[in-house]
Amino acid sequence: MTPAVFHILLALAGGERHGYAVMKEVLRLSDGRTRIGPGTLYGTLQRLIDTGWVVEAPRAGPRTVNGRARRYYRLTTTGRRALDDDVARLEALLRAARAIKDGPRGSRG
């Protein structure tokens, strides 16, 4: 799973969001370390829709803002499962990294 996919799925795990709200949530969840631009966001969302991990949600809020259409997105059950699997993978990786980092004190060279 690419970082962009992970961050978008994580942002949508909290509920339905429109594109700009997804970008803001990614920024918030990453403490400002990850910024996803519109091209990456909408291209990735389309791929996630095509794979069945995300769907366009029915009316979750205003459909237009300042005359511009707003689409809302939500995770599917399959998308939630993919996110959960990747979180488990990252947790295992983090445990392994900590075990190496915190390994036996006498073996450091």
Side-chain angles (χ1 to χ4, degrees):
M1 181 178 294
T2 67
V5 168
F6 179 81
H7 284 289
I8 291 169
L9 293 178
L10 189 60
L12 291 173
E16 297 174 357
R17 296 185 193 283
H18 57 80
Y20 183 67
V22 171
M23 288 190 286
K24 287 175 58 176
E25 184 67 357
V26 166
L27 200 57
R28 186 188 75 76
L29 290 171
S30 68
D31 291 327
R33 291 186 211 104
T34 301
R35 188 176 306 269
I36 294 179
T40 298
L41 174 71
Y42 292 107
T44 303
L45 279 170
Q46 188 57 57
R47 285 190 302 280
L48 291 171
I49 289 168
D50 292 345
T51 60
W53 290 4
V54 169
V55 293
E56 192 170 329
R59 299 180 84 76
R63 299 306 279 178
T64 59
V65 174
N66 297 328
R68 296 181 64 182
R70 222 179 223 185
R71 292 182 177 159
Y72 284 75
Y73 304 92
R74 70 171 172 80
L75 279 181
T76 63
T77 302
T78 307
R80 171 70 69 167
R81 207 170 13 244
L83 177 61
D84 291 346
D85 289 348
D86 210 50
V87 167
R89 180 190 68 82
L90 291 170
E91 286 172 338
L93 184 61
L94 184 56
R95 279 192 305 275
R98 284 186 174 143
I100 291 169
K101 180 181 136 295
D102 299 334
R105 301 276 181 214
S107 65
R108 292 187 179 163

